[in-house]
């Protein structure tokens, strides 16, 4: 019998059925409809899994966008979901519906688990994983084990008096270097007339602005904004390198696909910031699991039966 992986997002629910070796057999996604409340969303998850695995599954690994408790299977705080899902017994609800063990993990940590079991982790036992998307998440893998405690890498302070973050602090990395931050800055530059090439590419529709379009345009102001965001990310990575001395930094998520415009200034900034010990052997690389990191992490979590 196969394993199931589900990534719960504020907009969409993505599910996959696969094997312990990382093979994906079937997958599908539906809208979350988060306004309906936790119970309705959990029923939607169960319906989706049943639709792609009518024969049932051995176990389910569920990634959630916020804090959860692996031991109890409860969500603790999902900041971008209505009611914030405090104390919701998600695993128990799904276990009853699907008649299989269900294990919960923060979505960024689940992606890091996918990288550990199916990507860089096969050769490297110590690495930090950053997910670069709408927000910035992350996790630490030390001595070949995913660390559950800590690891809120996107909420480290970069600018002490920076903008207010949804997590309650100011100047967090997520507010300065995420896809949302880049897009917001590009929109501002278009409105100020400083990004004519980008404005032409989106035909004046600001909803079409993306970091990938930003990387393709010739506007100096856009290039400067991207470089600045990458250097903020480099500062955050340098902090992690100084604190934990990992052998490898893995960048996953949509922004990691931008290539040199992201990786070059990040590597340069880390070299400039980490001065207490040599970093010439430190590798900063894109994820080997790519956009499937979270899906593979769910399969790994199910296969491990929550033992990480």
């Amino acid at each position: 019998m196969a394993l199931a992986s589900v990534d719960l997002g504020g907009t969409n629910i993505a599910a996959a059925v696969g094997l312990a070796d990382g093979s994906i057999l079937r997958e599908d996604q539906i809208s979350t409809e988060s306004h309906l409340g936790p119970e309705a969303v959990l029923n939607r998850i169960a319906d989706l899994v049943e639709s792609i695995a009518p024969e049932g599954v051995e176990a389910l690994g569920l990634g959630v966008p916020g804090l959860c408790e692996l031991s109890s299977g409860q969500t603790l705080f999902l900041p971008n979901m209505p009611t914030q899902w405090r104390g919701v017994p998600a695993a128990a609800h799904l276990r009853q519906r699907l008649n299989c063990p269900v294990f919960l993990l923060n979505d960024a940590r689940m992606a890091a688990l996918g990288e550990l079991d199916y990507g860089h982790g096969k050769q490297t036992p110590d690495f930090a994983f950053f997910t670069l998307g709408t927000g910035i998440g992350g996790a630490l893998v030390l001595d070949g084990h995913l660390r559950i405690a800590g690891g809120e890498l996107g909420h480290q302070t970069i600018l002490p008096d920076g903008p207010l973050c949804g997590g309650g602090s100011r100047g967090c990395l997520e507010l300065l270097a995420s896809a949302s931050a880049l897009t917001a800055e590009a929109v501002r530059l278009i409105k100020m007339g400083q990004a004519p090439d980008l404005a032409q590419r989106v035909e004046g529709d600001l909803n079409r602005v993306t970091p990938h379009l930003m990387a393709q345009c010739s506007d100096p102001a856009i290039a400067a904004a991207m470089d600045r965001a990458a250097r903020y990310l480099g500062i955050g990575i340098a902090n992690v390198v100084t604190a934990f001395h990992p052998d490898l930094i893995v960048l996953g998520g949509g922004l990691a696909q931008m290539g040199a415009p992201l990786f070059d200034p990040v590597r340069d900034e880390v070299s400039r910031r980490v001065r207490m010990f040599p970093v010439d052997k430190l590798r900063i690389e894109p994820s080997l699991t790519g956009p499937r990191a979270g899906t593979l992490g769910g399969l790994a979590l199910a296969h491990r039966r929550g033992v990480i």
Side-chain angles (χ1 to χ4, degrees):
M1 193 177 291
L3 304 165
S5 171
V6 172
D7 183 13
L8 170 62
T11 303
N12 294 308
I13 302 167
V17 175
L19 304 177
D21 65 1
S23 303
I24 305 297
L25 303 178
R26 294 179 297 278
E27 56 188 328
D28 198 3
Q29 71 173 28
I30 58 174
S31 60
T32 304
E33 306 290 344
S34 60
H35 64 281
L36 297 176
E39 183 175 354
V41 171
L42 291 171
N43 285 330
R44 290 178 64 77
I45 291 173
D47 291 342
L48 178 58
V49 172
E50 289 174 339
S51 72
I52 61 174
E55 70 282 5
V57 294
E58 288 184 20
L60 165 65
L62 171 63
V64 299
L67 300 178
C68 63
E69 190 172 64
L70 180 60
S71 59
S72 69
Q74 293 189 55
T75 57
L76 301 179
F77 178 61
L78 308 188
N80 297 319
M81 301 286 274
T83 76
Q84 300 177 335
W85 286 48
R86 296 179 184 270
V88 174
H93 185 99
L94 291 171
R95 183 169 59 246
Q96 184 175 20
R97 275 289 312 267
L98 299 171
N99 193 31
C100 73
V102 177
F103 306 97
L104 266 64
L105 197 59
N106 166 268
D107 51 7
R109 291 174 178 80
M110 196 164 85
L113 185 62
E115 193 70 34
L116 172 60
D117 281 9
Y118 304 108
H120 283 289
K122 288 184 175 182
Q123 288 80 36
T124 307
D126 298 286
F127 66 89
F129 187 93
F130 285 76
T131 57
L132 310 176
T134 303
I136 294 181
L140 296 169
V141 173
L142 302 175
D143 298 323
H145 296 282
L146 177 67
R147 302 302 179 182
I148 298 298
E152 294 296 337
L153 305 185
H155 289 284
Q156 55 180 302
T157 299
I158 304 298
L159 293 179
D161 298 315
L164 183 64
C165 176
S169 187
R170 289 188 175 274
C172 292
L173 178 60
E174 180 172 287
L175 291 178
L176 303 171
S178 64
S180 299
L182 272 172
T183 301
E185 178 64 4
V187 168
R188 185 185 73 84
L189 291 171
I190 289 175
K191 289 181 176 180
M192 294 181 65
Q194 295 184 30
D197 184 26
L198 182 58
Q200 185 175 11
R201 288 174 184 268
V202 301
E203 299 178 334
D205 183 357
L206 299 182
N207 291 320
R208 291 173 54 190
V209 174
T210 66
H212 293 285
L213 279 179
M214 293 172 66
Q216 297 170 20
C217 78
S218 60
D219 300 308
I222 293 293
M226 293 179 62
D227 183 79
R228 183 167 56 250
R231 291 188 180 279
Y232 283 141
L233 177 59
I235 293 172
I237 291 173
N239 292 340
V240 172
V241 170
T242 300
F244 297 101
H245 297 205
D247 300 317
L248 171 69
I249 300 294
V250 180
L251 303 185
L255 287 184
Q257 301 173 29
M258 292 173 62
L262 174 73
F263 282 86
D264 288 351
V266 162
R267 289 176 178 135
D268 179 66
E269 197 66 29
V270 171
S271 295
R272 290 180 59 246
R273 298 276 174 177
V274 181
R275 311 299 295 178
M276 295 183 66
F277 49 87
V279 292
D280 51 307
K281 294 184 179 180
L282 172 71
R283 293 180 294 134
I284 302 176
E285 304 290 344
S287 165
L288 290 179
T289 53
R292 289 196 178 276
T295 298
L296 292 173
L299 295 181
L301 183 64
H303 176 60
R304 287 164 168 259
R305 298 298 194 269
V307 180
I308 54 178

